[in-house]
Amino acid sequence: MLTYLAVALAVAAPLGWAHDCSAPTGSGKGPTQWTGGAFDWPCATTKSMFKNGGRYIPKNVIATRGAIFKDDAIVALPRYKPGVPATLAKVSLKCKSGSQALLSAFPCWSLQEEGSCNALQNVVDTFLDPQDVLWVLDTGVVNVLDEPVRKCPPKVVAINMKTGKLVKTVDLSGLATPASRLQYLAADYSLDGRVFVYVSDAATRSILVYDVTSGRGYRVVLPKAVTLGCSRRDVLYLALLRRPDGTSCLVFTYLCGSRIFSIKTEYLQNGSAAGKVHDLGPKPKKMVLLGTDNGSALFFRYEGQSDVYRWDATTCYSPANFQPVWKGNDCSLPTAVIPDYKRGRMRVLESNFPDFIQGTVGCGANQALSLM
């Protein structure tokens, strides 16, 4: 069901890479790193129950997306394979030299129960909005790389990061189809204060738009031109860019697509998106969109390559304006670039994801959050 994911990231990468956490203890300035899924369990009995019941297989846990709030990173742990006890977790950025970070179920263990539609089933993306509300995309389908099973309808949940409380659940079953592949998420506020959520649906070549304030949503079908160069619809990347004048737009592209596009969010919010999609131009190579600075900067890498580039949307879309900002290594691939507001820097979430897909990670995938 999710073979598109392997297409996006499956490139052979050797094992054994590691970062040296050389920053002073507790500074949060060094890389935060961990292997597999090392959890901070409520007690030893709980860990034993999960492990003995096959609900905890450390090597099947990997972080792919995330958001940062103060001294913590909230990471998505997709249930690609069995044995992922929590699909949304918190990890402290207060780095201790040479130590492994621990994952804590977020916001609590009761919201991680597989099979309970009041809980999270498979978190694939997160988005922290300017009001410190974390929006979480849950596809409802688990074990997607083995034998996919739909446990619950797809949904987006909102968590107030200041309180850790779940404040909203948006049921997407009325907008999605049985064939939908929901992949990326963004949230935005209109000029009159309404809250909107945008979700990419690769299978149906569309963006789901939901007006949280009024409780209504609709599907925006994208022009066929967005699939130019594709033999099949793989990954539909989506990123929200904000311009200095207060306007915002969504930038989107298929991994397989030869061109990249944008649309002003005001058109999506007003339900008048027909004919409003703007073709930004051709891509020099297949691009993997990694995130934004919550402003006008878009971060990306090229398929199979670990170097990260930055494009400022206040400049013309052109390779001449693609600035290299992160030199990767041969052992890992970035899967997200995330703003760390407290430190005024961007962070790169990276891992040996291809090894994870191929099942060659040994005791678990190596993962790190490093300051850019």
Side-chain angles (χ1 to χ4, degrees):
M1 182 175 181
L2 281 187
T3 52
Y4 67 86
L5 196 55
V7 172
L9 296 170
V11 176
L15 297 173
W17 68 278
H19 285 281
D20 177 22
C21 183
S22 56
T25 298
S27 70
K29 294 181 180 179
T32 298
Q33 57 192 21
W34 65 97
T35 299
F39 280 88
D40 182 11
W41 294 90
C43 63
T45 302
T46 302
K47 178 180 179 180
S48 179
M49 288 175 55
F50 271 77
K51 203 160 189 176
N52 294 337
R55 290 185 292 163
Y56 177 42
I57 305 174
K59 68 178 182 180
N60 287 353
V61 180
I62 191 169
T64 57
R65 304 286 293 170
I68 293 173
F69 181 72
K70 296 183 178 179
D71 287 321
D72 295 315
I74 312 301
V75 293
L77 308 174
R79 283 180 166 138
Y80 293 135
K81 303 176 182 181
V84 181
T87 185
L88 187 68
K90 178 175 68 175
V91 59
S92 175
L93 297 174
K94 292 184 176 180
C95 184
K96 292 185 178 180
S97 181
S99 66
Q100 290 277 312
L102 288 178
L103 299 165
S104 302
F106 185 82
C108 58
W109 279 102
S110 62
L111 274 177
Q112 313 295 331
E113 185 181 351
E114 192 172 322
S116 169
C117 292
N118 292 322
L120 299 168
Q121 301 304 299
N122 184 22
V123 173
V124 297
D125 201 10
T126 62
F127 187 93
L128 182 65
D129 76 16
Q131 301 300 320
D132 292 330
V133 174
L134 182 72
W135 300 87
V136 177
L137 175 59
D138 177 6
T139 66
V141 180
V142 303
N143 303 341
V144 291
L145 291 181
D146 289 350
E147 295 181 4
V149 179
R150 176 165 293 285
K151 293 287 186 177
C152 299
K155 61 179 177 286
V156 171
V157 302
I159 301 169
N160 184 326
M161 291 302 299
K162 295 174 183 175
T163 64
K165 302 295 184 182
L166 192 152
V167 293
K168 186 70 178 181
T169 298
V170 176
D171 185 348
L172 296 177
S173 56
L175 301 178
T177 71
S180 288
R181 290 201 315 273
L182 308 183
Q183 297 170 331
Y184 286 84
L185 163 77
D188 194 19
Y189 291 81
S190 64
L191 294 177
D192 59 3
R194 290 178 295 157
V195 187
F196 285 84
V197 170
Y198 314 109
V199 175
S200 70
D201 186 348
T204 63
R205 200 184 75 236
S206 59
I207 295 173
L208 309 186
V209 180
Y210 193 87
D211 182 339
V212 180
T213 305
S214 68
R216 67 185 186 93
Y218 37 91
R219 171 191 300 276
V220 175
V221 179
L222 301 173
K224 291 182 178 179
V226 301
T227 57
L228 189 64
C230 295
S231 57
R232 64 187 181 88
R233 300 168 185 174
D234 47 21
V235 185
L236 181 54
Y237 297 106
L238 177 153
L240 178 68
L241 292 176
R242 307 179 195 276
R243 293 192 169 91
D245 63 2
T247 63
S248 59
C249 71
L250 283 184
V251 173
F252 55 91
T253 184
Y254 274 96
L255 174 68
C256 57
S258 60
R259 307 181 74 83
I260 188 167
F261 302 84
S262 71
I263 184 171
K264 291 182 178 180
T265 55
E266 63 180 283
Y267 299 139
L268 295 173
Q269 295 166 3
N270 296 331
S272 57
K276 303 296 186 180
V277 171
H278 177 55
D279 185 342
L280 291 175
K283 298 185 293 189
K285 303 176 186 177
K286 291 183 177 180
M287 297 166 66
V288 176
L289 304 192
L290 299 172
T292 76
D293 64 351
N294 203 29
S296 60
L298 175 70
F299 297 87
F300 66 92
R301 63 176 174 84
Y302 295 115
E303 184 187 28
Q305 299 180 20
S306 56
D307 293 351
V308 176
Y309 296 84
R310 176 183 186 273
W311 169 57
D312 190 333
T314 61
T315 67
C316 176
Y317 171 81
S318 167
N321 291 322
F322 298 167
Q323 176 188 6
V325 291
W326 174 264
K327 183 66 177 176
N329 58 61
D330 294 334
C331 309
S332 62
L333 287 176
T335 58
V337 173
I338 311 163
D340 184 339
Y341 299 110
K342 181 173 181 178
R343 295 158 190 88
R345 303 268 294 278
M346 301 298 296
R347 282 190 184 260
V348 180
L349 174 61
E350 55 185 344
S351 65
N352 53 336
F353 190 91
D355 295 318
F356 174 85
I357 290 290
Q358 296 163 12
T360 58
V361 292
C363 61
N366 298 310
Q367 300 149 79
L369 266 166
S370 305
L371 282 170
M372 182 179 286

